[in-house]
Amino acid sequence: MTFSSLLSPLSTSTLHDRLRPEIRALQPLLVQWRRQLHQQPELAFQERLTAEFIAEKLREWQIPHETGIAETGIVATLTGTQPGSVFAIRADMDALPIQEENDVPYKSQHDGKMHACGHDGHITIALGTAYYLSQHRHFKGTVKILFQPAEEGPGGAKPMIQAGVLKNPDVDAIIGLHLWNQLPLGTVGVRSGALMAAVEVFRCTILGKGGHGAIPQQTIDSIVVAAQIVSALQTIVSRNVDPIESAVVTVGEFHAGTACNVIADSAQLSGTVRYFQPHFDGFFPEKIEQVIAGICHSFGAAYRFEYSQYYPPTINDDRMANFVRSIAEKVIETPLGIVPNCQTMGGEDMSFFLQEVPGCYFFLGSANPERDLAYPHHHPRFDFDETVLAMGVELFVRCVEQFDQEWVMGNGGLTANRDAGGC
Ligand code: NI
């Protein structure tokens, strides 16, 4: 995806043309909230100031809410003018252990921590949506707004689900967005099926036998064994995965040795695995260990192996993806505004919500290279074009206002897309 092919020639004000005046008018307030949140980033499950900021606003607007869910999570509940379906919106709250390098007045005031993924924007958009809906209840049913901790790991979605946030009243469908600097301002990335990948991690220690670098015959060289393993792991995807499908096995760490003339006793490897199709669940740990065990055996080495499955793939329900796309088409008017080809091997714990109820997670383009706001997520100079904030609110508000009709039309027929796997 190149910017040149997607660059929007539209000015900031034009991008707000299709927004209703009341939401357009919220923009200065949204910027103020976002900048305040940006200055006080907090890591996973430590989002106390952030939660206090959210709760204070909800109290001020008299929106019923529950705090302290999965440590720092919050659920706000709004009801429309008539009974109807139950719709949920999810926003993640946590920041990253990164030292901010941006020189802006709203720079992070917490040393070594930074909102470098845009979650400050997600909170702001969800708060703007809550505020607007509290003032304009032109919708049927109930909306639950879920402020979720720890998306960057170890994950707050699962404990929130376990705490019952999708129950009482039971949520019919859920949406969420990620501001996305891989896409320019004025675009929405939305697709049916898999949007983001499963995230799994392996760690392995090769246990050889150390010795003198000049007397290898008395040793089992853990570096040589580990090097064979790194090479062989590259064949897992290329020789075992259907080329029509896709997966990644990356060895990201290789630590061994202390001196040039010493044969290393042990070597440590770690890496990550990504895939879209749920049928790969359980495939990689077995295959990776098989490769490690086989190579270690042939060299007479031993090994320790650990494997963690963090997040499943983020899979959108077909009808919910179409629903979000139809809303986005009304809000985004650039010619290439809707980008269907927007899959990424990044991961998201929104996936756990999408396993429970039908839903759609989508990207809202937030980069503006002309203003030097196009650094990738998790970069110390990441920042996004704040024009996107009011656009996010308009998208969420329209989804809320139209969801009940969509739900009734489908006769409750949306299905949780647990096994869809992107067809
Ligand atoms: Ni993120």
Side-chain angles (χ1 to χ4, degrees), residues 117 119 151-152 178:
C117 199
H119 300 187
E151 186 284 323
E152 300 289 357
H178 207 303

Side-chain angles (χ1 to χ4, degrees), residues 92 117-119 122 151-152 178-180 347-348 361 377-378:
D92 43 8
C117 199
H119 300 187
H122 303 170
E151 186 284 323
E152 300 289 357
H178 207 303
L179 297 180
W180 207 234
E348 244 300 333
Y361 195 58
H377 295 256
H378 297 202

Side-chain angles (χ1 to χ4, degrees), residues 88-161:
I89 291 172
R90 174 270 205 174
D92 43 8
M93 304 157 72
D94 56 324
L96 287 153
I98 292 175
Q99 183 69 40
E100 177 156 15
E101 287 177 14
N102 287 314
D103 188 16
V104 288
Y106 52 92
K107 184 176 175 164
S108 167
Q109 291 174 359
H110 292 178
D111 210 30
K113 297 173 194 168
M114 179 189 175
H115 268 296
C117 199
H119 300 187
D120 48 348
H122 303 170
I123 300 165
T124 300
I125 291 170
L127 271 179
T129 305
Y131 176 68
Y132 179 88
L133 292 173
S134 72
Q135 307 290 311
H136 308 85
R137 295 183 189 255
H138 310 308
F139 63 96
K140 284 186 186 172
T142 302
V143 183
K144 283 181 169 180
I145 301 185
L146 317 179
F147 296 93
Q148 179 217 298
E151 186 284 323
E152 300 289 357
K158 215 171 175 177
M160 278 193 97
I161 293 166

